[in-house]
Amino acid sequence: MARQRKKLLIVDGYNVLRSGSRYAHLRDAGPNPDYADDSFNRAREALINDVVAYAGRDFDAVVVFDGAGNQFSDGSCERIGGVRVMFSASGSSADKVIEKISRQARDRGVETMVVSSDATIQNTVFGLGVDRMSANGFSHAVDVNDQEYQLDLSPKVAIKNTLGERLSEDVRAKLIAIRDGAK
């Protein structure tokens, strides 16, 4: 059996939460959202769950959140549902982490996709030969993935429609009369 190419999905966490239409209803839309707030925790959990479902067996996945302004962030990773989740280290932006992971993956010959609507990130990773997807593109892809999953859960049985079932009662009676009269 042929080996599948290795693939890596890197998600710019807060960028997708801010720019992706799928997450707008989950987060606080105030001018200075508190990332420790319950609404943002729900949004982060939803994003991570979506990445787990989207990546499936096709991708190794990393979700990178910006921890540059958090003095306690050490840049360590946690695995949730097979997806690596990390906050960048204090003083280091998520953009730098994404660029580093992308460069390392490219050097190892891993096909990589970065999800971000940040133009700087998109241009940087494109220059590395890495594919990119916008936050709304990801939101749409996850929506399609969810719809396909729901269809798999409840397949519809095709109903056989015969010509007789589509005819009105009076037309059917006339046709039966013609048929029976021909005998």
Side-chain angles (χ1 to χ4, degrees):
M1 187 167 154
R3 284 182 57 187
Q4 282 189 313
R5 285 185 71 176
K6 295 183 278 182
K7 294 181 183 180
L8 176 64
L9 179 69
I10 304 170
V11 179
D12 185 353
Y14 285 137
N15 179 272
V16 173
L17 291 179
R18 284 191 191 109
S19 303
S21 57
R22 183 172 172 87
Y23 308 100
H25 70 285
L26 294 173
R27 60 179 164 74
D28 179 15
N32 294 310
D34 177 9
Y35 297 133
D37 185 74
D38 283 344
S39 62
F40 240 87
N41 284 335
R42 281 193 306 275
R44 277 192 295 259
E45 287 175 14
L47 174 62
I48 292 166
N49 289 335
D50 287 346
V51 172
V52 168
Y54 183 80
R57 295 176 184 231
D58 297 333
F59 292 93
D60 286 328
V62 182
V63 180
V64 182
F65 293 104
D66 199 337
N70 182 344
Q71 65 183 2
F72 302 107
S73 183
D74 61 1
S76 59
C77 282
E78 179 181 353
R79 263 202 195 274
I80 300 173
V83 171
R84 287 184 294 160
V85 178
M86 65 183 299
F87 284 83
S88 64
S90 178
S92 177
S93 70
D95 296 0
K96 294 291 182 193
V97 173
I98 291 168
E99 182 181 342
K100 179 181 177 184
I101 295 170
S102 298
R103 186 180 309 277
Q104 290 171 342
R106 182 208 57 195
D107 292 346
R108 290 190 325 266
V110 176
E111 185 178 339
T112 305
M113 168 78 72
V114 172
V115 177
S116 179
S117 287
D118 183 314
T120 304
I121 288 283
Q122 286 191 348
N123 291 335
T124 301
V125 300
F126 186 65
L128 297 172
V130 171
D131 290 329
R132 65 238 195 270
M133 179 188 296
S134 70
N136 271 331
F138 180 74
S139 291
H140 176 71
V142 170
D143 286 339
V144 168
N145 199 31
D146 282 350
Q147 290 169 0
E148 289 175 356
Y149 178 73
Q150 292 304 320
L151 287 174
D152 288 344
L153 286 179
S154 58
K156 303 284 186 234
V157 177
I159 298 172
K160 184 176 180 180
N161 270 337
T162 64
L163 180 60
E165 293 170 342
R166 292 184 295 203
L167 295 175
S168 65
E169 287 300 317
D170 62 324
V171 170
R172 186 181 308 167
K174 290 177 185 176
L175 288 172
I176 290 171
I178 292 171
R179 178 193 69 193
D180 292 344
K183 287 183 182 180

